[in-house]
Amino acid sequence: MSGLAFPPEFVWGVATSSFQVEGAKSNPGSTWSRWEDEGHIRGGARSGDACGWWQDPEIDLDRAAELGVTAIRVSLEWSRIEPRAGVVDLKVLERYRRLLVGCREREIEPVVCLHHFSEPTWFADRGGFAAKDAPLLFARHAERVAKAYGDVVDWWLTLNEPNIYAAGGWMFGQFPPGRTRDLRGAARTLGGMVRAHGAAYRALHGVQPHARVGWAQHLVTLEPASSSFRDRRAAATLDQVFNGAFLDSVLDGRVNRALAPWAGDVSGGVGAYDFLGFNTYGRMHIAFDPRRPGDLFTRRIVPEDAVAGDGDSAESHGEPYPQGIGPLTRRLAGRGVPIYVLENGVPDATDRLRPWVVATAAHEVHALIADGVDVRGYFHWSLVDNWEWERGWEQRFGLYALDVETGERTLRPSGELFRTLASRG
C-alpha cells in the first residue's frame, strides 16, 4: 500500500442508510417496519433501534472522524419526515438537521440519499413508484428537504440501487411488497423510478442551482459460467436487464425490450445527473437454463472454490470481487462527469476478507486515476455493522464491529487499514 499516492482532493468516505442504523422501533410508518412486523426477517429477528442513530448518531460520527474520512453517505427517512401524505413532522426535520450539522462540525461532507429502499407505507399503498403521481410526490419531498438543508448539504443522491429495489420487491420476494417473478411489476416500478429521479433532480436544482445530484446504481460483475454461446448470451441478457435497465434509461433514454411493454415513457429522466456513482460488491457466474423463463432463462452459479463472506452471502452478493471496480468504472467513463464508487465492501464478521477488499479496491481506483479516468472518490460500506434488511444481523459489513446487546463498537483491523488510506491518502 505504501506505493500508492492519491490526489489530495480524492474523497475517502463511508456509507450508511437511515433505516439500517435507526431501526424500526421508533418508525412504524416505514414499509420495512411493516415488513418486519409481518415476520419476513430471517429467524424472526427484530431491528429494534439498530445502531441507535435516531437517539444518538454522533457516537458514530465521532468514529467516522477518527477514520479521517472526508465524506459520509447518510439517508433521510421519508416515512419519518412525512408520516402521512402531506403532513410534515418538523421535529424530525430538526433531528436530521442536527445529524447533518454534526457532519459539518467534524469536517465531513454529508452525501444525502432521499430514498434508500425504505419509504412511507402510505406511498407504497397507493402504488409506490408505479403510481401516476409518484414523480410529483417524490419531487415534493426532494424540494422540501433541499429547502430545509440546502445550507449544509449540496451533494444529493435521489435513489439508492433502484434495480435492487425493483428486483428484491417484484422478482425475488425478499423486499416489500414480496412479489416473485413479476417482471411487469418490476418494469412498471423501474420506469416510475426513472421519472421520479428526473423530477427530483429538477426539484433539487430548482432550490440549489449548483447542487451535485445523482443516484447510486448497483452494478454486479456478471460472467458466463462457461464459454458456450448460451451461457455468454444469458450473462449478457441479465447484464442488460439488471445492470442496464435504470442506468441506460437515464444515460440514453433506452429501455430494455424485456421491460419496454410496461416501463412507460422514461424521457423525463434522461441526462438527470451531475456525476455518476455506483455500488458494487461481487461477481456472479450465469448459466443458461431453459427451465427458468421467469428468471429470463438464467441461473446463478457460485463455484465451489469461490471466496465467500458471512453465511450464504455468496447467494445475495456473489463472491467478493473488488477487482470489478476497474471495468465497471470504465463502463461509466466518457460521459464528461466525475465518477464515484459509492459502496463497496464485504459481509465478514471475522475480518478475514475485508482487509483484502479494501487494499484491492484501493489498487483498482489508483490504477484508474493513473490511466486518466475521472474517478474522484471511494465509499466503503459500511462504517459500523448495521441491520442488513431481510437478513437481519446475519451479515456484518462494518469497519467497526457492533455488539448488538451492549452497543459497544470495536475498530476492526480493516478499519485501521482504511484509516491509513483516508488520513494519509
Side-chain angles (χ1 to χ4, degrees):
M1 300 295 292
S2 61
L4 303 185
F6 289 83
E9 66 277 10
F10 187 83
V11 175
W12 292 102
V14 287
T16 67
S17 91
S18 51
F19 189 88
Q20 292 178 268
V21 292
E22 294 172 1
K25 187 176 179 180
S26 60
N27 185 19
S30 163
T31 48
W32 273 92
S33 298
R34 182 167 66 185
W35 192 245
E36 187 177 314
D37 288 341
E38 292 172 351
H40 295 292
I41 309 304
R42 284 193 180 183
R46 308 289 297 204
S47 60
D49 291 322
C51 306
W53 271 44
W54 187 245
Q55 295 75 20
D56 182 18
E58 288 80 5
I59 188 173
D60 284 327
L61 293 184
D62 287 340
R63 283 165 171 76
E66 290 170 3
L67 288 179
V69 301
T70 53
I72 183 170
R73 272 190 61 185
V74 298
S75 64
L76 308 178
E77 271 296 301
W78 186 6
S79 56
R80 289 187 188 271
I81 293 171
E82 191 176 1
R84 297 186 301 280
V87 177
V88 177
D89 191 324
L90 298 180
K91 291 183 179 179
V92 170
L93 286 178
E94 179 55 33
R95 181 66 192 90
Y96 279 133
R97 167 167 280 278
R98 297 205 305 273
L99 164 66
L100 300 172
V101 170
C103 294
R104 289 292 185 188
E105 290 174 343
R106 292 163 177 81
E107 298 184 350
I108 300 173
E109 181 165 17
V111 182
V112 176
C113 185
L114 302 182
H115 184 280
H116 195 124
F117 297 161
S118 176
E119 62 197 37
T121 53
W122 63 259
F123 177 77
D125 291 344
R126 61 192 313 284
F129 284 103
K132 186 176 181 179
D133 61 349
L136 175 65
L137 295 172
F138 192 55
R140 184 180 69 183
H141 174 58
E143 182 181 36
R144 178 186 301 122
V145 297
K147 288 179 176 178
Y149 308 125
D151 58 324
V152 289
V153 178
D154 63 12
W155 192 349
W156 303 92
L157 303 173
T158 58
L159 301 165
N160 178 75
E161 300 181 339
N163 51 345
I164 290 287
Y165 172 88
W170 281 265
M171 293 299 292
F172 303 127
Q174 300 161 323
F175 286 15
R179 297 176 190 164
T180 57
R181 297 182 177 179
D182 181 2
L183 188 62
R184 176 181 179 179
R188 291 180 66 226
T189 297
L190 276 171
M193 294 183 90
V194 173
R195 291 185 287 276
H197 164 72
Y201 177 89
R202 291 185 289 274
L204 290 165
H205 276 290
V207 178
Q208 292 179 280
H210 302 295
R212 291 173 288 167
V213 185
W215 84 99
Q217 175 71 33
H218 189 96
L219 296 175
V220 181
T221 298
L222 298 170
E223 294 186 355
S226 75
S227 60
S228 73
F229 171 78
R230 286 185 170 186
D231 285 356
R232 288 187 284 114
R233 182 65 177 269
T237 297
L238 192 59
D239 178 76
Q240 291 167 5
V241 175
F242 180 75
N243 283 335
F246 188 94
L247 178 67
D248 291 343
S249 292
V250 177
L251 294 183
D252 301 311
R254 289 184 287 125
V255 179
N256 184 273
R257 63 182 180 181
L259 308 177
W262 310 290
D265 181 11
V266 298
S267 59
V270 178
Y273 58 92
D274 304 314
F275 60 89
L276 290 171
F278 69 98
N279 306 343
T280 190
Y281 290 87
R283 174 173 64 176
M284 293 183 178
H285 298 266
I286 307 301
F288 172 76
D289 192 333
R291 299 164 298 180
R292 302 169 71 97
D295 297 316
L296 302 176
F297 301 102
T298 66
R299 177 166 48 92
R300 290 181 291 170
I301 295 176
V302 179
E304 292 184 1
D305 60 347
V307 175
D310 294 340
D312 66 347
S313 62
E315 292 292 333
S316 59
H317 292 81
E319 58 178 303
Y321 197 65
Q323 304 96 310
I325 288 175
L328 294 174
T329 302
R330 293 179 188 280
R331 177 174 181 166
L332 302 180
R335 295 280 174 171
V337 296
I339 301 169
Y340 296 87
V341 181
L342 292 173
E343 284 183 28
N344 176 241
V346 60
D348 179 18
T350 60
D351 215 39
R352 60 193 171 85
L353 298 173
R354 192 174 294 103
W356 166 73
V357 168
V358 170
T360 304
H363 278 281
E364 288 288 321
V365 172
H366 188 267
L368 288 164
I369 295 172
D371 203 30
V373 180
D374 190 11
V375 55
R376 299 190 192 178
Y378 171 89
F379 291 72
H380 192 83
W381 183 276
S382 182
L383 173 62
V384 63
D385 289 341
N386 52 221
W387 179 257
E388 193 55 34
W389 305 112
E390 83 283 2
R391 284 175 165 78
W393 295 107
E394 286 185 5
Q395 296 180 349
R396 301 302 185 102
F397 281 89
L399 296 170
Y400 283 92
L402 173 71
D403 186 315
V404 179
E405 298 300 323
T406 66
E408 182 180 359
R409 276 83 161 155
T410 304
L411 185 64
R412 290 185 166 111
S414 55
E416 295 278 7
L417 175 58
F418 192 80
R419 178 163 60 188
T420 299
L421 280 166
S423 60
R424 300 183 188 175

